[in-house]
Amino acid sequence: MKFLDEAKIFIKSGDGGAGCVAFRREKFIEFGGPDGGNGGKGGDIIFEAVSNLNTLIDFRYHQHFKAEKGEPGKGANRTGHSGETMLIKVPVGTQIFAEDKETLLADFTEDGERLVLLKGGDGGFGNEHFKSSTNRAPRKATPGWPGEEMWVWLRLKLIADVGVVGLPNAGKSTFLSVVSRAKPKIADYPFTTLVPNLGVVYFHGKEFVMADVPGLIEGAHEGVGLGTRFLGHVERCKVILHLIDGTLENVVEANQVIRRELDLYGHGISQKPEILALNKCDALTEDVIQEKLNALKKATRKPVIMLSSISHHGIPQVLAALLEHIQSPEDEA
Protein backbone atom coordinates (compact mmCIF):
# COMPACT_ATOMS: atom_id res chain seq x y z
CA MET A 1 0.00 0.00 0.00
CA LYS A 2 1.39 3.39 -0.95
CA PHE A 3 1.79 6.01 1.75
CA LEU A 4 0.25 9.46 1.37
CA ASP A 5 0.17 11.91 4.26
CA GLU A 6 -1.58 14.90 2.66
CA ALA A 7 -4.65 15.24 0.44
CA LYS A 8 -7.13 17.92 -0.60
CA ILE A 9 -10.80 16.98 -0.92
CA PHE A 10 -14.15 18.67 -1.59
CA ILE A 11 -17.02 17.97 0.80
CA LYS A 12 -20.67 19.00 0.56
CA SER A 13 -23.55 18.18 2.89
CA GLY A 14 -26.95 17.39 1.39
CA ASP A 15 -29.54 20.02 0.47
CA GLY A 16 -32.84 19.91 2.29
CA GLY A 17 -35.88 18.67 0.37
CA ALA A 18 -38.58 21.13 -0.77
CA GLY A 19 -41.90 21.43 1.03
CA CYS A 20 -45.03 20.15 -0.69
CA VAL A 21 -48.21 21.97 -1.73
CA ALA A 22 -51.12 19.51 -1.45
CA PHE A 23 -54.73 19.42 -0.28
CA ARG A 24 -56.73 16.69 1.35
CA ARG A 25 -59.11 15.17 -1.14
CA GLU A 26 -61.55 12.55 0.13
CA LYS A 27 -65.09 11.55 -0.77
CA PHE A 28 -67.78 13.49 1.11
CA ILE A 29 -65.17 15.97 2.46
CA GLU A 30 -65.64 19.15 0.45
CA PHE A 31 -63.01 21.32 2.08
CA GLY A 32 -60.19 19.05 3.16
CA GLY A 33 -57.62 21.76 3.74
CA PRO A 34 -53.87 21.74 3.14
CA ASP A 35 -51.82 18.63 3.93
CA GLY A 36 -48.50 19.19 2.15
CA GLY A 37 -45.62 17.76 4.21
CA ASN A 38 -42.19 19.21 4.93
CA GLY A 39 -39.08 18.28 3.00
CA GLY A 40 -36.48 15.90 4.46
CA LYS A 41 -33.19 17.07 5.97
CA GLY A 42 -30.04 16.76 3.88
CA GLY A 43 -27.34 14.31 4.92
CA ASP A 44 -24.42 15.38 7.12
CA ILE A 45 -20.71 15.03 6.38
CA ILE A 46 -19.13 13.02 9.21
CA PHE A 47 -15.46 12.10 9.66
CA GLU A 48 -14.46 9.05 11.69
CA ALA A 49 -10.96 7.99 12.76
CA VAL A 50 -10.22 4.28 12.37
CA SER A 51 -7.13 2.38 13.47
CA ASN A 52 -6.97 0.01 10.48
CA LEU A 53 -5.89 2.80 8.11
CA ASN A 54 -2.43 4.38 8.03
CA THR A 55 -2.41 6.30 4.75
CA LEU A 56 -4.50 8.86 2.87
CA ILE A 57 -3.83 7.22 -0.49
CA ASP A 58 -7.54 6.58 -1.16
CA PHE A 59 -8.18 10.32 -1.28
CA ARG A 60 -5.86 10.70 -4.26
CA TYR A 61 -8.40 8.92 -6.45
CA HIS A 62 -11.63 9.96 -4.73
CA GLN A 63 -11.65 13.69 -4.00
CA HIS A 64 -15.33 14.72 -4.05
CA PHE A 65 -17.70 13.69 -1.28
CA LYS A 66 -21.35 14.74 -1.37
CA ALA A 67 -24.03 13.67 1.09
CA GLU A 68 -27.50 12.74 -0.17
CA LYS A 69 -30.22 15.38 -0.59
CA GLY A 70 -33.40 15.25 1.46
CA GLU A 71 -36.53 14.10 -0.36
CA PRO A 72 -39.39 16.55 -1.04
CA GLY A 73 -42.42 16.49 1.21
CA LYS A 74 -45.53 14.58 0.12
CA GLY A 75 -49.27 14.83 0.45
CA ALA A 76 -51.16 13.49 3.47
CA ASN A 77 -48.75 15.57 5.59
CA ARG A 78 -45.84 13.19 4.95
CA THR A 79 -42.34 14.45 5.56
CA GLY A 80 -39.72 13.51 2.94
CA HIS A 81 -36.98 11.05 3.87
CA SER A 82 -33.76 12.59 5.19
CA GLY A 83 -30.69 12.23 3.03
CA GLU A 84 -28.14 9.59 4.01
CA THR A 85 -25.12 10.74 5.97
CA MET A 86 -21.76 10.65 4.18
CA LEU A 87 -19.25 8.92 6.51
CA ILE A 88 -15.62 9.54 5.61
CA LYS A 89 -13.11 7.28 7.36
CA VAL A 90 -9.59 8.59 7.99
CA PRO A 91 -6.56 7.17 9.82
CA VAL A 92 -6.05 7.94 13.50
CA GLY A 93 -3.69 10.92 13.61
CA THR A 94 -5.40 12.81 10.78
CA GLN A 95 -5.83 16.57 11.03
CA ILE A 96 -8.35 18.52 8.95
CA PHE A 97 -7.45 22.03 7.83
CA ALA A 98 -9.47 24.64 5.97
CA GLU A 99 -8.46 25.52 2.41
CA ASP A 100 -5.92 28.05 3.70
CA LYS A 101 -3.97 25.08 5.19
CA GLU A 102 -3.63 26.98 8.48
CA THR A 103 -7.06 26.90 10.16
CA LEU A 104 -7.31 23.63 12.09
CA LEU A 105 -10.84 22.22 11.98
CA ALA A 106 -10.31 18.81 13.58
CA ASP A 107 -7.59 16.62 15.08
CA PHE A 108 -8.29 12.89 15.42
CA THR A 109 -6.10 11.13 17.98
CA GLU A 110 -8.25 8.19 19.09
CA ASP A 111 -9.83 5.23 17.34
CA GLY A 112 -13.57 5.69 16.79
CA GLU A 113 -13.50 9.46 17.26
CA ARG A 114 -16.21 11.18 15.17
CA LEU A 115 -17.00 14.73 14.10
CA VAL A 116 -19.92 16.21 12.16
CA LEU A 117 -18.00 18.71 10.04
CA LEU A 118 -20.85 19.88 7.80
CA LYS A 119 -24.54 19.67 8.67
CA GLY A 120 -27.15 18.95 6.04
CA GLY A 121 -29.66 21.63 5.07
CA ASP A 122 -33.08 21.64 6.74
CA GLY A 123 -36.09 20.65 4.69
CA GLY A 124 -38.55 23.27 3.43
CA PHE A 125 -42.03 23.73 4.91
CA GLY A 126 -45.09 22.29 3.21
CA ASN A 127 -48.27 24.32 2.86
CA GLU A 128 -49.81 22.68 5.94
CA HIS A 129 -47.27 24.64 8.00
CA PHE A 130 -48.69 27.95 6.78
CA LYS A 131 -52.34 27.20 7.62
CA SER A 132 -53.88 29.78 9.95
CA SER A 133 -57.27 31.06 11.04
CA THR A 134 -57.12 33.72 8.32
CA ASN A 135 -55.54 31.61 5.61
CA ARG A 136 -57.29 28.24 5.52
CA ALA A 137 -55.98 27.13 2.11
CA PRO A 138 -52.35 28.36 1.72
CA ARG A 139 -50.62 27.54 -1.54
CA LYS A 140 -47.24 28.44 -0.17
CA ALA A 141 -44.31 26.06 0.40
CA THR A 142 -40.61 26.77 0.82
CA PRO A 143 -37.60 25.14 -0.81
CA GLY A 144 -35.12 23.26 1.34
CA TRP A 145 -32.06 24.97 2.77
CA PRO A 146 -28.85 24.31 0.82
CA GLY A 147 -26.15 22.19 2.40
CA GLU A 148 -22.69 23.48 3.27
CA GLU A 149 -19.65 22.92 1.08
CA MET A 150 -15.92 23.51 1.31
CA TRP A 151 -12.49 22.30 0.27
CA VAL A 152 -10.40 20.89 3.11
CA TRP A 153 -6.87 19.56 3.52
CA LEU A 154 -6.27 16.25 5.25
CA ARG A 155 -2.88 15.88 6.88
CA LEU A 156 -1.76 12.66 8.55
CA LYS A 157 0.63 12.68 11.48
CA LEU A 158 1.55 9.13 12.35
CA ILE A 159 0.92 8.08 15.91
CA ALA A 160 3.93 6.04 17.00
CA ASP A 161 5.66 5.48 20.32
CA VAL A 162 9.14 6.07 18.88
CA GLY A 163 10.23 8.43 16.12
CA VAL A 164 13.59 7.57 14.53
CA VAL A 165 15.35 10.68 13.22
CA GLY A 166 18.74 11.45 11.73
CA LEU A 167 20.50 12.75 8.67
CA PRO A 168 20.01 10.92 5.36
CA ASN A 169 21.78 7.53 5.24
CA ALA A 170 22.13 7.33 9.03
CA GLY A 171 20.83 3.75 8.99
CA LYS A 172 17.29 4.38 10.20
CA SER A 173 15.56 2.01 7.76
CA THR A 174 18.08 -0.76 8.41
CA PHE A 175 17.54 -0.43 12.16
CA LEU A 176 13.74 -0.58 11.73
CA SER A 177 14.02 -3.68 9.53
CA VAL A 178 16.16 -5.42 12.16
CA VAL A 179 14.01 -4.70 15.23
CA SER A 180 10.61 -5.17 13.53
CA ARG A 181 8.99 -6.94 10.60
CA ALA A 182 8.82 -3.76 8.54
CA LYS A 183 10.46 -4.00 5.11
CA PRO A 184 11.49 -0.45 4.14
CA LYS A 185 13.62 0.21 1.08
CA ILE A 186 17.29 0.10 2.02
CA ALA A 187 20.31 1.24 -0.02
CA ASP A 188 23.73 2.78 0.56
CA TYR A 189 22.81 6.21 -0.78
CA PRO A 190 21.01 9.16 0.84
CA PHE A 191 17.25 9.75 0.59
CA THR A 192 16.38 6.08 0.07
CA THR A 193 13.37 6.56 2.34
CA LEU A 194 10.92 9.04 0.82
CA VAL A 195 7.94 8.33 3.08
CA PRO A 196 7.68 7.33 6.76
CA ASN A 197 7.65 3.62 7.58
CA LEU A 198 5.98 2.00 10.57
CA GLY A 199 7.07 -1.14 12.39
CA VAL A 200 5.89 -2.96 15.52
CA VAL A 201 8.73 -3.86 17.90
CA TYR A 202 8.44 -6.75 20.39
CA PHE A 203 10.85 -6.58 23.33
CA HIS A 204 10.72 -8.19 26.79
CA GLY A 205 7.06 -9.11 26.41
CA LYS A 206 6.07 -5.59 25.40
CA GLU A 207 5.28 -4.15 22.00
CA PHE A 208 5.50 -0.61 20.68
CA VAL A 209 5.26 1.18 17.35
CA MET A 210 8.31 2.75 15.75
CA ALA A 211 8.27 5.24 12.87
CA ASP A 212 11.26 5.63 10.56
CA VAL A 213 11.08 9.27 9.47
CA PRO A 214 12.81 10.18 6.17
CA GLY A 215 16.20 11.83 6.56
CA LEU A 216 16.11 15.42 7.74
CA ILE A 217 18.42 18.05 6.29
CA GLU A 218 19.37 21.58 7.23
CA GLY A 219 16.35 23.87 6.75
CA ALA A 220 13.84 21.07 7.34
CA HIS A 221 11.86 23.27 9.77
CA GLU A 222 11.20 25.64 6.85
CA GLY A 223 10.01 22.84 4.59
CA VAL A 224 13.28 22.13 2.81
CA GLY A 225 13.12 18.56 1.51
CA LEU A 226 9.50 18.28 2.73
CA GLY A 227 10.96 18.71 6.20
CA THR A 228 7.89 20.16 7.90
CA ARG A 229 5.76 17.23 6.75
CA PHE A 230 8.36 14.74 7.96
CA LEU A 231 8.80 16.52 11.29
CA GLY A 232 5.03 16.45 11.77
CA HIS A 233 5.21 12.67 12.14
CA VAL A 234 7.51 13.07 15.15
CA GLU A 235 5.07 15.38 17.00
CA ARG A 236 2.98 12.58 18.50
CA CYS A 237 5.86 10.25 19.47
CA LYS A 238 6.65 9.63 23.12
CA VAL A 239 10.40 9.41 22.61
CA ILE A 240 12.90 10.19 19.85
CA LEU A 241 15.66 7.83 18.77
CA HIS A 242 18.40 9.91 17.16
CA LEU A 243 20.73 7.84 15.02
CA ILE A 244 24.07 9.38 14.09
CA ASP A 245 26.12 7.89 11.29
CA GLY A 246 29.41 6.90 12.91
CA THR A 247 31.22 6.94 9.55
CA LEU A 248 30.75 10.70 9.24
CA GLU A 249 33.81 12.89 9.73
CA ASN A 250 32.10 15.18 12.25
CA VAL A 251 29.47 13.38 14.33
CA VAL A 252 29.03 16.36 16.65
CA GLU A 253 28.01 18.58 13.75
CA ALA A 254 25.58 15.89 12.51
CA ASN A 255 23.92 15.88 15.93
CA GLN A 256 23.74 19.68 16.01
CA VAL A 257 22.03 19.88 12.60
CA ILE A 258 19.18 17.62 13.72
CA ARG A 259 18.83 19.24 17.15
CA ARG A 260 18.70 22.68 15.54
CA GLU A 261 15.91 21.62 13.19
CA LEU A 262 13.91 20.06 16.04
CA ASP A 263 14.29 23.21 18.14
CA LEU A 264 13.30 25.57 15.31
CA TYR A 265 10.31 23.46 14.27
CA GLY A 266 8.75 23.80 17.73
CA HIS A 267 5.45 22.05 18.60
CA GLY A 268 7.11 20.55 21.69
CA ILE A 269 9.40 18.20 19.74
CA SER A 270 12.60 19.55 21.26
CA GLN A 271 11.30 18.76 24.78
CA LYS A 272 10.67 15.09 24.04
CA PRO A 273 12.98 12.49 25.59
CA GLU A 274 15.83 11.58 23.26
CA ILE A 275 18.00 8.47 23.00
CA LEU A 276 21.30 9.05 21.21
CA ALA A 277 22.96 6.20 19.34
CA LEU A 278 26.18 6.17 17.34
CA ASN A 279 25.31 3.86 14.45
CA LYS A 280 27.37 1.80 11.97
CA CYS A 281 30.01 1.01 14.60
CA ASP A 282 30.76 -2.26 12.78
CA ALA A 283 32.58 -0.16 10.17
CA LEU A 284 34.84 1.56 12.74
CA THR A 285 37.85 0.60 14.83
CA GLU A 286 37.57 0.60 18.62
CA ASP A 287 39.79 3.70 18.92
CA VAL A 288 37.66 5.67 16.45
CA ILE A 289 34.46 4.55 18.16
CA GLN A 290 35.71 5.68 21.55
CA GLU A 291 36.89 8.99 20.15
CA LYS A 292 33.54 9.75 18.57
CA LEU A 293 31.57 8.56 21.61
CA ASN A 294 33.59 10.86 23.84
CA ALA A 295 33.09 13.81 21.48
CA LEU A 296 29.32 13.26 21.41
CA LYS A 297 29.05 12.83 25.17
CA LYS A 298 31.05 16.00 25.74
CA ALA A 299 28.94 18.03 23.28
CA THR A 300 25.52 16.73 24.34
CA ARG A 301 26.13 15.88 28.02
CA LYS A 302 23.99 12.82 27.43
CA PRO A 303 24.76 9.10 27.36
CA VAL A 304 25.43 7.73 23.87
CA ILE A 305 24.82 4.08 22.96
CA MET A 306 27.19 2.33 20.57
CA LEU A 307 25.05 0.63 17.90
CA SER A 308 25.38 -1.60 14.87
CA SER A 309 22.27 -2.83 13.07
CA ILE A 310 24.41 -5.25 11.06
CA SER A 311 26.06 -7.04 14.01
CA HIS A 312 23.10 -6.30 16.34
CA HIS A 313 25.51 -4.79 18.86
CA GLY A 314 23.76 -2.32 21.18
CA ILE A 315 20.23 -3.11 19.96
CA PRO A 316 19.00 -4.54 23.31
CA GLN A 317 20.36 -1.48 25.14
CA VAL A 318 18.61 0.90 22.72
CA LEU A 319 15.27 -0.94 22.94
CA ALA A 320 15.48 -1.10 26.75
CA ALA A 321 16.16 2.65 26.94
CA LEU A 322 13.22 3.37 24.62
CA LEU A 323 10.92 1.10 26.61
CA GLU A 324 11.67 3.01 29.81
CA HIS A 325 10.20 6.18 28.29
CA ILE A 326 7.27 4.42 26.62
CA GLN A 327 5.95 2.45 29.60
CA SER A 328 3.38 4.21 31.74
CA PRO A 329 3.42 3.77 35.54
CA GLU A 330 0.39 1.48 35.19
CA ASP A 331 2.31 -0.77 32.77
CA GLU A 332 5.24 -1.08 35.18
CA ALA A 333 3.06 -1.92 38.19
Side-chain angles (χ1 to χ4, degrees), residues 209-227:
V209 179
M210 183 176 291
D212 157 30
V213 179
L216 303 174
I217 59 177
E218 197 160 1
H221 71 282
E222 296 176 336
V224 177
L226 295 181

Side-chain angles (χ1 to χ4, degrees), residues 25-67:
R25 289 290 180 264
E26 294 182 36
K27 192 175 182 181
F28 306 123
I29 299 178
E30 187 176 358
F31 302 106
D35 67 352
N38 300 331
K41 180 182 176 295
D44 299 330
I45 294 288
I46 298 180
F47 284 86
E48 180 183 12
V50 293
S51 58
N52 61 346
L53 292 177
N54 57 12
T55 175
L56 299 175
I57 190 65
D58 291 341
F59 298 101
R60 173 173 287 178
Y61 310 107
H62 185 189
Q63 298 173 332
H64 291 77
F65 296 85
K66 297 180 181 180

Side-chain angles (χ1 to χ4, degrees), residues 24 35 68 93 125 153 175 266 292:
R24 184 181 176 193
D35 67 352
E68 195 176 45
F125 292 121
W153 284 93
F175 178 79
K292 294 191 175 184

Side-chain angles (χ1 to χ4, degrees), residues 31-198:
F31 302 106
D35 67 352
N38 300 331
K41 180 182 176 295
D44 299 330
I45 294 288
I46 298 180
F47 284 86
E48 180 183 12
V50 293
S51 58
N52 61 346
L53 292 177
N54 57 12
T55 175
L56 299 175
I57 190 65
D58 291 341
F59 298 101
R60 173 173 287 178
Y61 310 107
H62 185 189
Q63 298 173 332
H64 291 77
F65 296 85
K66 297 180 181 180
E68 195 176 45
K69 297 179 181 179
E71 290 187 357
K74 300 178 178 63
N77 203 24
R78 289 176 294 174
T79 300
H81 287 293
S82 296
E84 279 196 28
T85 292
M86 170 65 72
L87 181 63
I88 304 174
K89 295 185 178 183
V90 295
V92 176
T94 300
Q95 293 180 316
I96 303 178
F97 288 87
E99 194 172 5
D100 61 8
K101 296 187 77 171
E102 294 181 359
T103 306
L104 181 62
L105 303 176
D107 189 359
F108 297 102
T109 58
E110 296 181 6
D111 184 30
E113 197 173 348
R114 281 192 174 203
L115 174 70
V116 180
L117 192 61
L118 297 182
K119 290 187 176 182
D122 291 328
F125 292 121
N127 65 335
E128 197 273 339
H129 176 83
F130 298 100
K131 181 178 64 175
S132 67
S133 58
T134 57
N135 187 1
R136 306 301 295 273
R139 295 182 176 274
K140 176 182 179 181
T142 57
W145 291 89
E148 303 172 299
E149 62 180 57
M150 64 189 306
W151 284 91
V152 295
W153 284 93
L154 306 180
R155 187 175 300 161
L156 175 60
K157 293 183 177 179
L158 294 176
I159 295 182
D161 298 301
V162 180
V164 187
V165 301
L167 290 173
N169 214 28
K172 301 182 293 298
S173 297
T174 302
F175 178 79
L176 182 67
S177 69
V178 169
V179 300
S180 74
R181 293 183 179 180
K183 302 298 178 187
K185 182 180 178 182
I186 299 171
D188 60 351
Y189 54 84
F191 301 108
T192 311
T193 303
L194 301 178
V195 297
N197 292 297
L198 284 177

Side-chain angles (χ1 to χ4, degrees), residues 179-181 199-209 319 323:
V179 300
S180 74
R181 293 183 179 180
V200 179
V201 180
Y202 298 91
F203 184 70
H204 285 182
K206 304 288 184 181
E207 65 177 53
F208 55 90
V209 179
L319 296 182
L323 198 57

Side-chain angles (χ1 to χ4, degrees), residues 230-292:
F230 293 157
L231 282 166
H233 293 293
V234 188
E235 280 187 40
R236 304 185 193 274
C237 298
K238 295 178 181 177
V239 57
I240 294 172
L241 173 60
H242 183 177
L243 296 187
I244 300 173
D245 185 352
T247 62
L248 293 175
E249 186 77 22
N250 192 336
V251 293
V252 173
E253 183 183 357
N255 171 70
Q256 290 172 343
V257 168
I258 296 298
R259 287 308 312 175
R260 190 181 307 121
E261 295 307 318
L262 297 180
D263 292 339
L264 292 173
Y265 178 75
H267 299 279
I269 289 183
S270 59
Q271 281 77 48
K272 290 184 181 293
E274 179 188 46
I275 304 298
L276 271 177
L278 184 68
N279 199 15
K280 301 185 181 181
C281 287
D282 56 287
L284 307 173
T285 63
E286 289 188 12
D287 291 342
V288 173
I289 291 172
Q290 199 58 50
E291 178 187 340
K292 294 191 175 184

